[in-house]
Every structure is written in structure tokens, then in C-alpha cells.
Amino acid sequence: MSPKLSSKSTVSPSHSHTSATSEQTQLFNSTASSPAIDHSTSDSNSHHLRSSRPRWIIRRLLTTLLAILIVVGAASPFIAVQYQKQVFAERVHTYLIEQKHYKPEQIASIRGIWGIMLPSFYVEVVFKDEPNRVYTYFAHAEIMQQSHRLLHVTDPDQSNDSGAKHAEEPI
């Protein structure tokens, strides 16, 4: 009895292997021609495209955000300087109107300057009745007139100090 048992056991696995292979072949043949399998394959491809789309959007968004940060970072010193010039010009304008009692019509221009002088921010004021003279004000802790100078010297005998109508104190 044992030889029969052993022969059955050896035949049985080879038969089951052969039948399993033929079942797989039939399953493959039937699924390869089936449009449902092609559809599921395209579903997996579209799923792959859908999953890569958010990565592409996120990558694009991060690149754009980085570019904006670089531009803002590069422009911020310029913006800060322009802002400080405006602040100092406004402080001098308020000082001239409220404390020195000038009328706005008497002032030709007030311009904030960022220069190499220390302090680096100062304000130049030109009055309408003296269009050739520039008065320099510092407006940091307190507002004070620092100097005045002529823009265009028409007469060689004119000195820088003569005729300064709006000089506040001897400089």
C-alpha cells in the first residue's frame, strides 16, 4: 500500500500544478481581452496622474513662494529707506507748521534724504521766498536745523551765510 500512496502523492502535485497553470493561462487570456482590465489599468494610470498632480502643484506653489520671498527680501531695504525718508520729511513739515508757524504756502519743497552724512537721514527744505537756498534739518531725537547752503551762486560776492532769512540759530 505504501507504493500506491507514494505514487498518488507524486502524481497529485504534478496534476494540481498543471491544472493551476492552465487555470492561470485561461484567467490571463480572458482578462487580457477584457475591456474591464484595460479600464482598471487606465484607472491605475489616472490614479498615478492624480497623485502626481498635487505634487506638481505643491512644487510650483513653493517655487512661486520662494521667488516672492527673494524679491521682497531684495526690495525691503529700498522700501525701508523710502519709508524712513518720508517719515523724517513729515516730522520736519509738522515741526515747521506747528512749532515755527510757517504756512504751507511758504514752503516750496520738503525732501527726505538718505546720504553719507551722519546721521544718514536728513531733510532738505526750500522756502518759496528763497528758492536758491536749501536748509538742512535733522529729525531724529529732536528736530533741529543743521545748516543751509546756496544752490546757485549768481554773485561771487554772495557768501553762504548772508541773507539766510529762515536760519533758526547761528550754526
Side-chain angles (χ1 to χ4, degrees):
M1 229 180 190
S2 24
K4 286 184 177 182
L5 187 61
S6 68
S7 68
K8 278 188 179 181
S9 66
T10 57
V11 171
S12 178
S14 67
H15 177 63
S16 66
H17 176 64
T18 311
S19 67
T21 306
S22 66
E23 285 176 14
Q24 288 175 351
T25 305
Q26 287 175 354
L27 181 62
F28 178 74
N29 288 338
S30 68
T31 57
S33 63
S34 168
I37 293 299
D38 291 340
H39 188 290
S40 69
T41 306
S42 68
D43 279 349
S44 69
N45 285 341
S46 66
H47 174 70
H48 175 69
L49 289 175
R50 276 188 248 130
S51 67
S52 68
R53 213 175 279 152
R55 288 183 192 153
W56 178 82
I57 291 171
I58 290 171
R59 200 174 292 146
R60 180 71 171 204
L61 185 63
L62 288 175
T63 303
T64 304
L65 184 62
L66 182 63
I68 290 171
L69 287 174
I70 290 171
V71 168
V72 168
S76 63
F78 177 75
I79 293 169
V81 166
Q82 295 303 317
Y83 175 75
Q84 285 297 326
K85 288 171 30 177
Q86 185 65 33
V87 166
F88 284 106
E90 284 294 321
R91 288 183 68 196
V92 169
H93 182 264
T94 302
Y95 166 78
L96 291 173
I97 301 297
E98 292 179 1
Q99 292 183 10
K100 293 299 181 180
H101 306 291
Y102 285 104
K103 295 179 182 163
E105 304 84 42
Q106 292 177 296
I107 302 169
S109 70
I110 297 178
R111 201 174 65 152
I113 305 290
W114 183 52
I116 55 175
M117 290 176 38
L118 287 177
S120 57
F121 290 100
Y122 58 96
V123 178
E124 291 183 342
V125 177
V126 177
F127 293 95
K128 285 187 179 176
D129 61 347
E130 285 186 295
N132 287 333
R133 188 173 300 272
V134 177
Y135 293 86
T136 303
Y137 289 84
F138 290 145
H140 295 275
E142 63 180 272
I143 299 171
M144 59 188 279
Q145 188 180 77
Q146 178 62 30
S147 64
H148 55 86
R149 62 181 165 75
L150 290 172
L151 287 176
H152 306 287
V153 179
T154 55
D155 184 11
D157 292 334
Q158 272 184 326
S159 71
N160 200 19
D161 292 331
S162 67
K165 297 177 187 175
H166 303 285
E168 292 182 9
E169 297 174 5
I171 299 171

